[in-house]
PDB file of all heavy atoms in Angstrom:
ATOM      1  N   PHE A  17      -6.411  -0.814  -5.495  1.00 95.00           N
ATOM      2  CA  PHE A  17      -5.746   0.318  -4.874  1.00 95.00           C
ATOM      3  C   PHE A  17      -5.004   1.109  -5.944  1.00 95.00           C
ATOM      4  O   PHE A  17      -4.299   0.525  -6.758  1.00 95.00           O
ATOM      5  CB  PHE A  17      -4.735  -0.161  -3.816  1.00 95.00           C
ATOM      6  CG  PHE A  17      -5.362  -1.044  -2.784  1.00 95.00           C
ATOM      7  CD1 PHE A  17      -5.448  -2.409  -2.985  1.00 95.00           C
ATOM      8  CD2 PHE A  17      -5.885  -0.495  -1.622  1.00 95.00           C
ATOM      9  CE1 PHE A  17      -6.039  -3.234  -2.039  1.00 95.00           C
ATOM     10  CE2 PHE A  17      -6.479  -1.314  -0.674  1.00 95.00           C
ATOM     11  CZ  PHE A  17      -6.558  -2.678  -0.872  1.00 95.00           C
ATOM     12  N   THR A  18      -5.158   2.421  -5.927  1.00 90.00           N
ATOM     13  CA  THR A  18      -4.461   3.274  -6.878  1.00 90.00           C
ATOM     14  C   THR A  18      -3.262   3.913  -6.200  1.00 90.00           C
ATOM     15  O   THR A  18      -3.387   4.497  -5.124  1.00 90.00           O
ATOM     16  CB  THR A  18      -5.395   4.371  -7.419  1.00 90.00           C
ATOM     17  OG1 THR A  18      -6.522   3.742  -8.028  1.00 90.00           O
ATOM     18  CG2 THR A  18      -4.691   5.240  -8.442  1.00 90.00           C
ATOM     19  N   HIS A  19      -2.099   3.770  -6.831  1.00 86.00           N
ATOM     20  CA  HIS A  19      -0.873   4.401  -6.328  1.00 86.00           C
ATOM     21  C   HIS A  19      -0.584   5.615  -7.208  1.00 86.00           C
ATOM     22  O   HIS A  19      -0.312   5.472  -8.386  1.00 86.00           O
ATOM     23  CB  HIS A  19       0.294   3.418  -6.372  1.00 86.00           C
ATOM     24  CG  HIS A  19       1.567   4.021  -5.867  1.00 86.00           C
ATOM     25  ND1 HIS A  19       1.834   4.128  -4.521  1.00 86.00           N
ATOM     26  CD2 HIS A  19       2.606   4.577  -6.506  1.00 86.00           C
ATOM     27  CE1 HIS A  19       3.005   4.708  -4.361  1.00 86.00           C
ATOM     28  NE2 HIS A  19       3.492   5.001  -5.554  1.00 86.00           N
ATOM     29  N   ARG A  20      -0.655   6.802  -6.624  1.00 80.00           N
ATOM     30  CA  ARG A  20      -0.427   8.033  -7.392  1.00 80.00           C
ATOM     31  C   ARG A  20       0.803   8.806  -6.912  1.00 80.00           C
ATOM     32  O   ARG A  20       1.141   9.829  -7.484  1.00 80.00           O
ATOM     33  CB  ARG A  20      -1.654   8.932  -7.294  1.00 80.00           C
ATOM     34  CG  ARG A  20      -2.835   8.391  -8.036  1.00 80.00           C
ATOM     35  CD  ARG A  20      -3.934   9.444  -8.153  1.00 80.00           C
ATOM     36  NE  ARG A  20      -5.058   8.925  -8.893  1.00 80.00           N
ATOM     37  CZ  ARG A  20      -6.161   8.433  -8.347  1.00 80.00           C
ATOM     38  NH1 ARG A  20      -6.278   8.401  -7.042  1.00 80.00           N
ATOM     39  NH2 ARG A  20      -7.136   7.972  -9.089  1.00 80.00           N
ATOM     40  N   ASP A  21       1.422   8.335  -5.871  1.00 78.00           N
ATOM     41  CA  ASP A  21       2.562   9.058  -5.309  1.00 78.00           C
ATOM     42  C   ASP A  21       3.842   8.748  -6.077  1.00 78.00           C
ATOM     43  O   ASP A  21       3.860   7.938  -6.996  1.00 78.00           O
ATOM     44  CB  ASP A  21       2.746   8.679  -3.842  1.00 78.00           C
ATOM     45  CG  ASP A  21       1.609   9.175  -2.967  1.00 78.00           C
ATOM     46  OD1 ASP A  21       0.981  10.186  -3.338  1.00 78.00           O
ATOM     47  OD2 ASP A  21       1.339   8.545  -1.934  1.00 78.00           O
ATOM     48  N   HIS A  22       4.906   9.373  -5.634  1.00 75.00           N
ATOM     49  CA  HIS A  22       6.225   9.141  -6.217  1.00 75.00           C
ATOM     50  C   HIS A  22       6.549   7.649  -6.151  1.00 75.00           C
ATOM     51  O   HIS A  22       6.200   6.970  -5.179  1.00 75.00           O
ATOM     52  CB  HIS A  22       7.264   9.962  -5.444  1.00 75.00           C
ATOM     53  CG  HIS A  22       8.593  10.002  -6.086  1.00 75.00           C
ATOM     54  ND1 HIS A  22       9.527   9.015  -5.903  1.00 75.00           N
ATOM     55  CD2 HIS A  22       9.147  10.906  -6.927  1.00 75.00           C
ATOM     56  CE1 HIS A  22      10.608   9.300  -6.588  1.00 75.00           C
ATOM     57  NE2 HIS A  22      10.408  10.446  -7.220  1.00 75.00           N
ATOM     58  N   ILE A  23       7.221   7.144  -7.164  1.00 73.00           N
ATOM     59  CA  ILE A  23       7.545   5.714  -7.242  1.00 73.00           C
ATOM     60  C   ILE A  23       8.340   5.246  -6.021  1.00 73.00           C
ATOM     61  O   ILE A  23       8.241   4.086  -5.617  1.00 73.00           O
ATOM     62  CB  ILE A  23       8.297   5.397  -8.560  1.00 73.00           C
ATOM     63  CG1 ILE A  23       8.430   3.894  -8.771  1.00 73.00           C
ATOM     64  CG2 ILE A  23       9.660   6.070  -8.592  1.00 73.00           C
ATOM     65  CD1 ILE A  23       7.134   3.169  -8.935  1.00 73.00           C
ATOM     66  N   SER A  24       9.082   6.124  -5.408  1.00 79.00           N
ATOM     67  CA  SER A  24       9.879   5.737  -4.240  1.00 79.00           C
ATOM     68  C   SER A  24       9.008   5.315  -3.058  1.00 79.00           C
ATOM     69  O   SER A  24       9.503   4.706  -2.115  1.00 79.00           O
ATOM     70  CB  SER A  24      10.806   6.882  -3.823  1.00 79.00           C
ATOM     71  OG  SER A  24      10.039   7.983  -3.371  1.00 79.00           O
ATOM     72  N   THR A  25       7.709   5.614  -3.094  1.00 83.00           N
ATOM     73  CA  THR A  25       6.823   5.260  -1.979  1.00 83.00           C
ATOM     74  C   THR A  25       6.025   3.987  -2.231  1.00 83.00           C
ATOM     75  O   THR A  25       5.154   3.639  -1.433  1.00 83.00           O
ATOM     76  CB  THR A  25       5.843   6.409  -1.677  1.00 83.00           C
ATOM     77  OG1 THR A  25       4.954   6.584  -2.789  1.00 83.00           O
ATOM     78  CG2 THR A  25       6.580   7.707  -1.372  1.00 83.00           C
ATOM     79  N   ILE A  26       6.334   3.250  -3.290  1.00 83.00           N
ATOM     80  CA  ILE A  26       5.550   2.049  -3.611  1.00 83.00           C
ATOM     81  C   ILE A  26       5.635   1.009  -2.498  1.00 83.00           C
ATOM     82  O   ILE A  26       4.657   0.337  -2.191  1.00 83.00           O
ATOM     83  CB  ILE A  26       5.934   1.451  -4.981  1.00 83.00           C
ATOM     84  CG1 ILE A  26       4.957   0.354  -5.389  1.00 83.00           C
ATOM     85  CG2 ILE A  26       7.368   0.948  -4.993  1.00 83.00           C
ATOM     86  CD1 ILE A  26       3.533   0.799  -5.576  1.00 83.00           C
ATOM     87  N   ARG A  27       6.785   0.867  -1.862  1.00 90.00           N
ATOM     88  CA  ARG A  27       6.900  -0.098  -0.755  1.00 90.00           C
ATOM     89  C   ARG A  27       5.921   0.238   0.366  1.00 90.00           C
ATOM     90  O   ARG A  27       5.333  -0.640   0.970  1.00 90.00           O
ATOM     91  CB  ARG A  27       8.315  -0.127  -0.192  1.00 90.00           C
ATOM     92  CG  ARG A  27       9.271  -0.936  -0.997  1.00 90.00           C
ATOM     93  CD  ARG A  27      10.616  -0.964  -0.276  1.00 90.00           C
ATOM     94  NE  ARG A  27      11.597  -1.573  -1.113  1.00 90.00           N
ATOM     95  CZ  ARG A  27      12.130  -2.755  -0.870  1.00 90.00           C
ATOM     96  NH1 ARG A  27      11.776  -3.420   0.204  1.00 90.00           N
ATOM     97  NH2 ARG A  27      13.020  -3.263  -1.692  1.00 90.00           N
ATOM     98  N   ARG A  28       5.762   1.515   0.651  1.00 92.00           N
ATOM     99  CA  ARG A  28       4.832   1.939   1.694  1.00 92.00           C
ATOM    100  C   ARG A  28       3.401   1.562   1.306  1.00 92.00           C
ATOM    101  O   ARG A  28       2.631   1.077   2.135  1.00 92.00           O
ATOM    102  CB  ARG A  28       4.956   3.436   1.948  1.00 92.00           C
ATOM    103  CG  ARG A  28       4.059   3.909   3.081  1.00 92.00           C
ATOM    104  CD  ARG A  28       4.253   5.361   3.393  1.00 92.00           C
ATOM    105  NE  ARG A  28       3.982   6.158   2.208  1.00 92.00           N
ATOM    106  CZ  ARG A  28       4.447   7.378   2.002  1.00 92.00           C
ATOM    107  NH1 ARG A  28       5.229   7.941   2.896  1.00 92.00           N
ATOM    108  NH2 ARG A  28       4.147   8.035   0.918  1.00 92.00           N
ATOM    109  N   THR A  29       3.049   1.782   0.047  1.00 91.00           N
ATOM    110  CA  THR A  29       1.708   1.428  -0.420  1.00 91.00           C
ATOM    111  C   THR A  29       1.467  -0.066  -0.298  1.00 91.00           C
ATOM    112  O   THR A  29       0.447  -0.503   0.240  1.00 91.00           O
ATOM    113  CB  THR A  29       1.505   1.878  -1.879  1.00 91.00           C
ATOM    114  OG1 THR A  29       1.631   3.304  -1.933  1.00 91.00           O
ATOM    115  CG2 THR A  29       0.159   1.461  -2.414  1.00 91.00           C
ATOM    116  N   VAL A  30       2.392  -0.868  -0.781  1.00 91.00           N
ATOM    117  CA  VAL A  30       2.246  -2.328  -0.717  1.00 91.00           C
ATOM    118  C   VAL A  30       2.199  -2.797   0.737  1.00 91.00           C
ATOM    119  O   VAL A  30       1.374  -3.642   1.102  1.00 91.00           O
ATOM    120  CB  VAL A  30       3.376  -3.020  -1.509  1.00 91.00           C
ATOM    121  CG1 VAL A  30       3.380  -4.515  -1.277  1.00 91.00           C
ATOM    122  CG2 VAL A  30       3.236  -2.700  -2.999  1.00 91.00           C
ATOM    123  N   ASN A  31       3.067  -2.263   1.585  1.00 95.00           N
ATOM    124  CA  ASN A  31       3.059  -2.612   3.001  1.00 95.00           C
ATOM    125  C   ASN A  31       1.718  -2.266   3.641  1.00 95.00           C
ATOM    126  O   ASN A  31       1.169  -3.052   4.420  1.00 95.00           O
ATOM    127  CB  ASN A  31       4.195  -1.885   3.725  1.00 95.00           C
ATOM    128  CG  ASN A  31       4.217  -2.201   5.197  1.00 95.00           C
ATOM    129  OD1 ASN A  31       4.337  -3.355   5.596  1.00 95.00           O
ATOM    130  ND2 ASN A  31       4.080  -1.171   6.020  1.00 95.00           N
ATOM    131  N   THR A  32       1.177  -1.111   3.322  1.00 96.00           N
ATOM    132  CA  THR A  32      -0.119  -0.691   3.883  1.00 96.00           C
ATOM    133  C   THR A  32      -1.226  -1.641   3.451  1.00 96.00           C
ATOM    134  O   THR A  32      -2.078  -2.028   4.261  1.00 96.00           O
ATOM    135  CB  THR A  32      -0.439   0.757   3.463  1.00 96.00           C
ATOM    136  OG1 THR A  32       0.584   1.616   3.983  1.00 96.00           O
ATOM    137  CG2 THR A  32      -1.785   1.195   3.996  1.00 96.00           C
ATOM    138  N   ILE A  33      -1.220  -2.030   2.187  1.00 96.00           N
ATOM    139  CA  ILE A  33      -2.248  -2.954   1.690  1.00 96.00           C
ATOM    140  C   ILE A  33      -2.187  -4.272   2.454  1.00 96.00           C
ATOM    141  O   ILE A  33      -3.185  -4.730   3.015  1.00 96.00           O
ATOM    142  CB  ILE A  33      -2.075  -3.205   0.179  1.00 96.00           C
ATOM    143  CG1 ILE A  33      -2.375  -1.936  -0.622  1.00 96.00           C
ATOM    144  CG2 ILE A  33      -2.968  -4.372  -0.272  1.00 96.00           C
ATOM    145  CD1 ILE A  33      -1.942  -2.010  -2.083  1.00 96.00           C
ATOM    146  N   TRP A  34      -1.020  -4.909   2.457  1.00 95.00           N
ATOM    147  CA  TRP A  34      -0.896  -6.270   2.992  1.00 95.00           C
ATOM    148  C   TRP A  34      -0.867  -6.336   4.511  1.00 95.00           C
ATOM    149  O   TRP A  34      -1.391  -7.286   5.099  1.00 95.00           O
ATOM    150  CB  TRP A  34       0.345  -6.948   2.423  1.00 95.00           C
ATOM    151  CG  TRP A  34       0.162  -7.304   0.988  1.00 95.00           C
ATOM    152  CD1 TRP A  34       0.597  -6.597  -0.092  1.00 95.00           C
ATOM    153  CD2 TRP A  34      -0.540  -8.432   0.471  1.00 95.00           C
ATOM    154  NE1 TRP A  34       0.204  -7.226  -1.248  1.00 95.00           N
ATOM    155  CE2 TRP A  34      -0.493  -8.356  -0.936  1.00 95.00           C
ATOM    156  CE3 TRP A  34      -1.216  -9.502   1.052  1.00 95.00           C
ATOM    157  CZ2 TRP A  34      -1.085  -9.302  -1.756  1.00 95.00           C
ATOM    158  CZ3 TRP A  34      -1.810 -10.456   0.223  1.00 95.00           C
ATOM    159  CH2 TRP A  34      -1.733 -10.344  -1.157  1.00 95.00           C
ATOM    160  N   ASN A  35      -0.260  -5.348   5.165  1.00 96.00           N
ATOM    161  CA  ASN A  35      -0.077  -5.427   6.615  1.00 96.00           C
ATOM    162  C   ASN A  35      -1.071  -4.619   7.435  1.00 96.00           C
ATOM    163  O   ASN A  35      -1.139  -4.786   8.650  1.00 96.00           O
ATOM    164  CB  ASN A  35       1.350  -5.014   6.980  1.00 96.00           C
ATOM    165  CG  ASN A  35       2.368  -5.966   6.398  1.00 96.00           C
ATOM    166  OD1 ASN A  35       2.194  -7.184   6.455  1.00 96.00           O
ATOM    167  ND2 ASN A  35       3.402  -5.432   5.804  1.00 96.00           N
ATOM    168  N   HIS A  36      -1.816  -3.731   6.781  1.00 97.00           N
ATOM    169  CA  HIS A  36      -2.777  -2.917   7.521  1.00 97.00           C
ATOM    170  C   HIS A  36      -4.193  -3.069   6.965  1.00 97.00           C
ATOM    171  O   HIS A  36      -5.099  -3.445   7.693  1.00 97.00           O
ATOM    172  CB  HIS A  36      -2.340  -1.443   7.535  1.00 97.00           C
ATOM    173  CG  HIS A  36      -1.011  -1.248   8.186  1.00 97.00           C
ATOM    174  ND1 HIS A  36      -0.840  -1.234   9.546  1.00 97.00           N
ATOM    175  CD2 HIS A  36       0.220  -1.089   7.653  1.00 97.00           C
ATOM    176  CE1 HIS A  36       0.441  -1.074   9.836  1.00 97.00           C
ATOM    177  NE2 HIS A  36       1.109  -0.987   8.699  1.00 97.00           N
ATOM    178  N   TRP A  37      -4.365  -2.727   5.674  1.00 97.00           N
ATOM    179  CA  TRP A  37      -5.719  -2.770   5.119  1.00 97.00           C
ATOM    180  C   TRP A  37      -6.291  -4.183   5.132  1.00 97.00           C
ATOM    181  O   TRP A  37      -7.401  -4.390   5.631  1.00 97.00           O
ATOM    182  CB  TRP A  37      -5.762  -2.222   3.688  1.00 97.00           C
ATOM    183  CG  TRP A  37      -7.165  -2.232   3.174  1.00 97.00           C
ATOM    184  CD1 TRP A  37      -8.097  -1.256   3.359  1.00 97.00           C
ATOM    185  CD2 TRP A  37      -7.824  -3.302   2.480  1.00 97.00           C
ATOM    186  NE1 TRP A  37      -9.295  -1.641   2.803  1.00 97.00           N
ATOM    187  CE2 TRP A  37      -9.152  -2.902   2.256  1.00 97.00           C
ATOM    188  CE3 TRP A  37      -7.424  -4.550   2.021  1.00 97.00           C
ATOM    189  CZ2 TRP A  37     -10.085  -3.694   1.605  1.00 97.00           C
ATOM    190  CZ3 TRP A  37      -8.353  -5.353   1.363  1.00 97.00           C
ATOM    191  CH2 TRP A  37      -9.655  -4.921   1.164  1.00 97.00           C
ATOM    192  N   LEU A  38      -5.564  -5.151   4.605  1.00 96.00           N
ATOM    193  CA  LEU A  38      -6.099  -6.513   4.500  1.00 96.00           C
ATOM    194  C   LEU A  38      -6.463  -7.100   5.863  1.00 96.00           C
ATOM    195  O   LEU A  38      -7.593  -7.561   6.035  1.00 96.00           O
ATOM    196  CB  LEU A  38      -5.129  -7.418   3.736  1.00 96.00           C
ATOM    197  CG  LEU A  38      -5.682  -8.760   3.288  1.00 96.00           C
ATOM    198  CD1 LEU A  38      -6.875  -8.598   2.350  1.00 96.00           C
ATOM    199  CD2 LEU A  38      -4.602  -9.572   2.589  1.00 96.00           C
ATOM    200  N   PRO A  39      -5.592  -7.064   6.865  1.00 96.00           N
ATOM    201  CA  PRO A  39      -5.990  -7.613   8.167  1.00 96.00           C
ATOM    202  C   PRO A  39      -7.176  -6.886   8.804  1.00 96.00           C
ATOM    203  O   PRO A  39      -7.998  -7.501   9.480  1.00 96.00           O
ATOM    204  CB  PRO A  39      -4.735  -7.445   9.031  1.00 96.00           C
ATOM    205  CG  PRO A  39      -3.607  -7.345   8.075  1.00 96.00           C
ATOM    206  CD  PRO A  39      -4.177  -6.668   6.853  1.00 96.00           C
ATOM    207  N   ALA A  40      -7.296  -5.587   8.590  1.00 97.00           N
ATOM    208  CA  ALA A  40      -8.380  -4.814   9.197  1.00 97.00           C
ATOM    209  C   ALA A  40      -9.684  -4.888   8.408  1.00 97.00           C
ATOM    210  O   ALA A  40     -10.742  -4.553   8.929  1.00 97.00           O
ATOM    211  CB  ALA A  40      -7.956  -3.352   9.330  1.00 97.00           C
ATOM    212  N   SER A  41      -9.626  -5.351   7.165  1.00 96.00           N
ATOM    213  CA  SER A  41     -10.784  -5.289   6.281  1.00 96.00           C
ATOM    214  C   SER A  41     -11.819  -6.390   6.502  1.00 96.00           C
ATOM    215  O   SER A  41     -12.963  -6.246   6.093  1.00 96.00           O
ATOM    216  CB  SER A  41     -10.317  -5.369   4.823  1.00 96.00           C
ATOM    217  OG  SER A  41      -9.842  -6.686   4.527  1.00 96.00           O
ATOM    218  N   GLY A  42     -11.384  -7.497   7.098  1.00 95.00           N
ATOM    219  CA  GLY A  42     -12.282  -8.642   7.208  1.00 95.00           C
ATOM    220  C   GLY A  42     -12.184  -9.564   6.000  1.00 95.00           C
ATOM    221  O   GLY A  42     -12.806 -10.615   5.967  1.00 95.00           O
TER     222      GLY A  42
END
């Protein structure tokens, strides 16, 4: 996953990976 947004949004990126993408990905 590439994070290109402001550093203040890193928690949102990590949360999306672990709590949304990973469970939905199979």
